[in-house]
């Protein structure tokens, strides 16, 4: 999702999201619709808080390492994750637009450049030899190049490709 090889452990986020969904269902079953609305507000505020934490951390790391932040365009995040069930589940309903806007303003305050990158084919492109093929992604969550044999975690490969495109965009 984000480049510079920054990864976030989605397990905790997923766990909380599942708890919220369970509560919502239980309240709906007993017809407590006003409570459902109240809970939805609490969930939105929680997502907002997590987005603040994630964006602050990303900008801190980028600043410390004198790096730019590369973001996929928001539609691209959805598109790229078609093949990743795990990531999709974690980010479904997540307010990515809010996260991106938090990153933008925090980065601007710190003087860290933010670059938007076209994420097309980043999940299918080999970062070593440039081979683009959907067969590079035969196994769920894993990348293996059909040409040169390079292999790695699929999310990591996507992030490497995004970072490479960001460097291109910067003319570096
Ligand atoms: Zn390759």
């Amino acid at each position: 999702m984000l480049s510079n090889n920054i990864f976030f452990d989605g397990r905790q986020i997923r766990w909380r999201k599942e708890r919220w969904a369970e509560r919502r269902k239980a309240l709906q079953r007993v017809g407590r619709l006003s409570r459902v609305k109240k809970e939805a507000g609490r969930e939105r505020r929680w997502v907002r808080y997590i987005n603040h934490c994630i964006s602050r951390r990303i900008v801190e790391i980028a600043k410390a390492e004198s790096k730019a932040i590369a973001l996929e365009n928001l539609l691209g995040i959805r598109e790229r994750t078609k093949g990743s069930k795990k990531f999709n589940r974690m980010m479904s309903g997540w307010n990515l637009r809010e996260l991106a806007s938090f990153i933008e303003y925090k980065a601007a305050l710190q003087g860290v450049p933010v670059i938007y990158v076209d994420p097309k084919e980043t999940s299918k492109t080999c970062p070593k030899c440039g081979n683009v093929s959907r067969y590079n992604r035969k196994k769920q969550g894993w990348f293996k190049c059909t040409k040169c044999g390079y292999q790695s975690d699929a999310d990591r490969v996507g992030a490497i490709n995004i970072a490479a495109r960001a460097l291109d965009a910067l003319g570096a």
Side-chain angles (χ1 to χ4, degrees), residues 126-131 136 143 145-150:
C126 174
K128 208 174 165 196
C129 74
N131 171 33
N136 291 342
F143 182 98
C145 179
T146 53
K147 225 175 184 175
C148 75
Y150 170 85

Side-chain angles (χ1 to χ4, degrees), residues 31 47 67 112 157:
V47 168
K67 280 180 179 161
V112 173
V157 166

Side-chain angles (χ1 to χ4, degrees), residues 5 22 24 27 41 62 87 100 102 115 152 161:
N5 295 329
E22 275 167 19
R24 205 160 44 228
L27 287 168
F87 191 77
F102 287 178
I115 311 146
S152 186
N161 286 330

Side-chain angles (χ1 to χ4, degrees), residues 74-83 118-121 123:
L74 294 163
L75 286 171
I77 292 176
R78 304 268 184 229
E79 209 162 281
R80 190 168 76 78
T81 57
K82 257 184 207 159
D118 179 6
K120 207 164 161 269
E121 318 271 39
S123 65

